[in-house]
Amino acid sequence: LEVAGKAAFLLACLALDSPVRLAIHILGGVECLLALMKVDDMVVVNNASLCLSQILQHVEAKDELYRLHGMKVLLDQGIGSASVDVQENSARAVAYAIETEGNLKDLRRQLGIDRMIEMLAALPDTKRVPNDK
């Protein structure tokens, strides 16, 4: 598991160019990273969410995320995580993913917008105001 987490971090570092993102997608990287998001090791989950935030900049990876129902994983294991780093990386991945209509619909269906607002409101330096809801 530790090796998988390190591999996810390495892929995140390499996925700065579109051809690399496409290659990771073609080789099944989105599915593997979503599986890593479901493990108990926070370092592995953080690295997987970081890598997804890079790969999901490619349009074909966004389609793959939709096909795999990955928005639910990003929201449940990412946005719902106790780790602020995992939340941040997952929020970035969600931001790229919702550029496609299917993922945006999934976000709405999963009440993801409300969950993201609650995540932001829970940050220690956030002061809630009556207009938040």
Side-chain angles (χ1 to χ4, degrees), residues 1-15:
L1 198 56
E2 183 180 337
V3 173
K6 289 179 181 180
F9 181 77
L10 174 65
L11 287 175
C13 294
L14 294 174

PDB file of all heavy atoms in Angstrom, residues 1-15:
ATOM      1  N   LEU A   1       0.826  -1.198   0.000  1.00  0.00           N
ATOM      2  CA  LEU A   1       0.000   0.000   0.000  1.00  0.00           C
ATOM      3  C   LEU A   1       0.868   1.260   0.000  1.00  0.00           C
ATOM      4  O   LEU A   1       0.559   2.225  -0.685  1.00  0.00           O
ATOM      5  CB  LEU A   1      -0.927  -0.034   1.210  1.00  0.00           C
ATOM      6  CG  LEU A   1      -2.131   0.885   1.174  1.00  0.00           C
ATOM      7  CD1 LEU A   1      -2.987   0.629  -0.053  1.00  0.00           C
ATOM      8  CD2 LEU A   1      -2.962   0.705   2.416  1.00  0.00           C
ATOM      9  N   GLU A   2       1.960   1.204   0.755  1.00  0.00           N
ATOM     10  CA  GLU A   2       2.864   2.353   0.800  1.00  0.00           C
ATOM     11  C   GLU A   2       3.463   2.628  -0.584  1.00  0.00           C
ATOM     12  O   GLU A   2       3.594   3.779  -0.999  1.00  0.00           O
ATOM     13  CB  GLU A   2       3.982   2.098   1.812  1.00  0.00           C
ATOM     14  CG  GLU A   2       4.927   3.258   1.971  1.00  0.00           C
ATOM     15  CD  GLU A   2       6.025   2.986   2.984  1.00  0.00           C
ATOM     16  OE1 GLU A   2       5.840   2.128   3.864  1.00  0.00           O
ATOM     17  OE2 GLU A   2       7.076   3.634   2.869  1.00  0.00           O
ATOM     18  N   VAL A   3       3.792   1.560  -1.298  1.00  0.00           N
ATOM     19  CA  VAL A   3       4.350   1.700  -2.640  1.00  0.00           C
ATOM     20  C   VAL A   3       3.312   2.317  -3.576  1.00  0.00           C
ATOM     21  O   VAL A   3       3.635   3.178  -4.408  1.00  0.00           O
ATOM     22  CB  VAL A   3       4.840   0.335  -3.180  1.00  0.00           C
ATOM     23  CG1 VAL A   3       5.265   0.441  -4.629  1.00  0.00           C
ATOM     24  CG2 VAL A   3       5.976  -0.190  -2.331  1.00  0.00           C
ATOM     25  N   ALA A   4       2.058   1.916  -3.436  1.00  0.00           N
ATOM     26  CA  ALA A   4       0.989   2.476  -4.271  1.00  0.00           C
ATOM     27  C   ALA A   4       0.835   3.972  -4.019  1.00  0.00           C
ATOM     28  O   ALA A   4       0.628   4.753  -4.951  1.00  0.00           O
ATOM     29  CB  ALA A   4      -0.320   1.750  -3.997  1.00  0.00           C
ATOM     30  N   GLY A   5       0.932   4.373  -2.765  1.00  0.00           N
ATOM     31  CA  GLY A   5       0.848   5.795  -2.430  1.00  0.00           C
ATOM     32  C   GLY A   5       1.994   6.584  -3.031  1.00  0.00           C
ATOM     33  O   GLY A   5       1.807   7.687  -3.551  1.00  0.00           O
ATOM     34  N   LYS A   6       3.188   6.008  -2.989  1.00  0.00           N
ATOM     35  CA  LYS A   6       4.350   6.678  -3.584  1.00  0.00           C
ATOM     36  C   LYS A   6       4.219   6.737  -5.106  1.00  0.00           C
ATOM     37  O   LYS A   6       4.600   7.737  -5.730  1.00  0.00           O
ATOM     38  CB  LYS A   6       5.644   5.968  -3.167  1.00  0.00           C
ATOM     39  CG  LYS A   6       5.982   6.185  -1.705  1.00  0.00           C
ATOM     40  CD  LYS A   6       7.232   5.466  -1.291  1.00  0.00           C
ATOM     41  CE  LYS A   6       7.499   5.717   0.188  1.00  0.00           C
ATOM     42  NZ  LYS A   6       8.702   5.048   0.661  1.00  0.00           N
ATOM     43  N   ALA A   7       3.679   5.686  -5.682  1.00  0.00           N
ATOM     44  CA  ALA A   7       3.468   5.669  -7.136  1.00  0.00           C
ATOM     45  C   ALA A   7       2.463   6.747  -7.548  1.00  0.00           C
ATOM     46  O   ALA A   7       2.638   7.422  -8.564  1.00  0.00           O
ATOM     47  CB  ALA A   7       2.995   4.295  -7.590  1.00  0.00           C
ATOM     48  N   ALA A   8       1.405   6.911  -6.751  1.00  0.00           N
ATOM     49  CA  ALA A   8       0.404   7.947  -7.044  1.00  0.00           C
ATOM     50  C   ALA A   8       1.044   9.334  -6.982  1.00  0.00           C
ATOM     51  O   ALA A   8       0.761  10.195  -7.824  1.00  0.00           O
ATOM     52  CB  ALA A   8      -0.767   7.849  -6.062  1.00  0.00           C
ATOM     53  N   PHE A   9       1.927   9.547  -6.004  1.00  0.00           N
ATOM     54  CA  PHE A   9       2.617  10.837  -5.901  1.00  0.00           C
ATOM     55  C   PHE A   9       3.522  11.055  -7.110  1.00  0.00           C
ATOM     56  O   PHE A   9       3.556  12.145  -7.691  1.00  0.00           O
ATOM     57  CB  PHE A   9       3.427  10.910  -4.605  1.00  0.00           C
ATOM     58  CG  PHE A   9       4.129  12.222  -4.432  1.00  0.00           C
ATOM     59  CD1 PHE A   9       3.421  13.349  -4.036  1.00  0.00           C
ATOM     60  CD2 PHE A   9       5.481  12.346  -4.690  1.00  0.00           C
ATOM     61  CE1 PHE A   9       4.058  14.572  -3.889  1.00  0.00           C
ATOM     62  CE2 PHE A   9       6.131  13.564  -4.542  1.00  0.00           C
ATOM     63  CZ  PHE A   9       5.408  14.681  -4.146  1.00  0.00           C
ATOM     64  N   LEU A  10       4.236  10.010  -7.513  1.00  0.00           N
ATOM     65  CA  LEU A  10       5.109  10.111  -8.679  1.00  0.00           C
ATOM     66  C   LEU A  10       4.296  10.438  -9.931  1.00  0.00           C
ATOM     67  O   LEU A  10       4.674  11.311 -10.716  1.00  0.00           O
ATOM     68  CB  LEU A  10       5.881   8.809  -8.883  1.00  0.00           C
ATOM     69  CG  LEU A  10       6.722   8.725 -10.155  1.00  0.00           C
ATOM     70  CD1 LEU A  10       7.852   9.742 -10.130  1.00  0.00           C
ATOM     71  CD2 LEU A  10       7.264   7.330 -10.339  1.00  0.00           C
ATOM     72  N   LEU A  11       3.171   9.769 -10.114  1.00  0.00           N
ATOM     73  CA  LEU A  11       2.318  10.048 -11.273  1.00  0.00           C
ATOM     74  C   LEU A  11       1.803  11.481 -11.238  1.00  0.00           C
ATOM     75  O   LEU A  11       1.705  12.135 -12.280  1.00  0.00           O
ATOM     76  CB  LEU A  11       1.155   9.063 -11.334  1.00  0.00           C
ATOM     77  CG  LEU A  11       1.502   7.643 -11.753  1.00  0.00           C
ATOM     78  CD1 LEU A  11       0.275   6.750 -11.660  1.00  0.00           C
ATOM     79  CD2 LEU A  11       2.090   7.616 -13.151  1.00  0.00           C
ATOM     80  N   ALA A  12       1.474  11.971 -10.051  1.00  0.00           N
ATOM     81  CA  ALA A  12       1.015  13.362  -9.934  1.00  0.00           C
ATOM     82  C   ALA A  12       2.107  14.318 -10.384  1.00  0.00           C
ATOM     83  O   ALA A  12       1.830  15.322 -11.051  1.00  0.00           O
ATOM     84  CB  ALA A  12       0.591  13.660  -8.499  1.00  0.00           C
ATOM     85  N   CYS A  13       3.342  14.012 -10.037  1.00  0.00           N
ATOM     86  CA  CYS A  13       4.464  14.865 -10.449  1.00  0.00           C
ATOM     87  C   CYS A  13       4.697  14.803 -11.954  1.00  0.00           C
ATOM     88  O   CYS A  13       5.092  15.800 -12.573  1.00  0.00           O
ATOM     89  CB  CYS A  13       5.735  14.453  -9.718  1.00  0.00           C
ATOM     90  SG  CYS A  13       5.680  14.729  -7.944  1.00  0.00           S
ATOM     91  N   LEU A  14       4.461  13.646 -12.547  1.00  0.00           N
ATOM     92  CA  LEU A  14       4.700  13.470 -13.979  1.00  0.00           C
ATOM     93  C   LEU A  14       3.544  13.976 -14.839  1.00  0.00           C
ATOM     94  O   LEU A  14       3.728  14.248 -16.024  1.00  0.00           O
ATOM     95  CB  LEU A  14       4.942  11.991 -14.293  1.00  0.00           C
ATOM     96  CG  LEU A  14       6.208  11.375 -13.702  1.00  0.00           C
ATOM     97  CD1 LEU A  14       6.229   9.878 -13.965  1.00  0.00           C
ATOM     98  CD2 LEU A  14       7.453  12.040 -14.277  1.00  0.00           C
ATOM     99  N   ALA A  15       2.367  14.105 -14.259  1.00  0.00           N
ATOM    100  CA  ALA A  15       1.155  14.409 -15.030  1.00  0.00           C
ATOM    101  C   ALA A  15       0.983  15.901 -15.287  1.00  0.00           C
ATOM    102  O   ALA A  15      -0.129  16.420 -15.272  1.00  0.00           O
ATOM    103  CB  ALA A  15      -0.064  13.831 -14.327  1.00  0.00           C
TER     104      ALA A  15
END
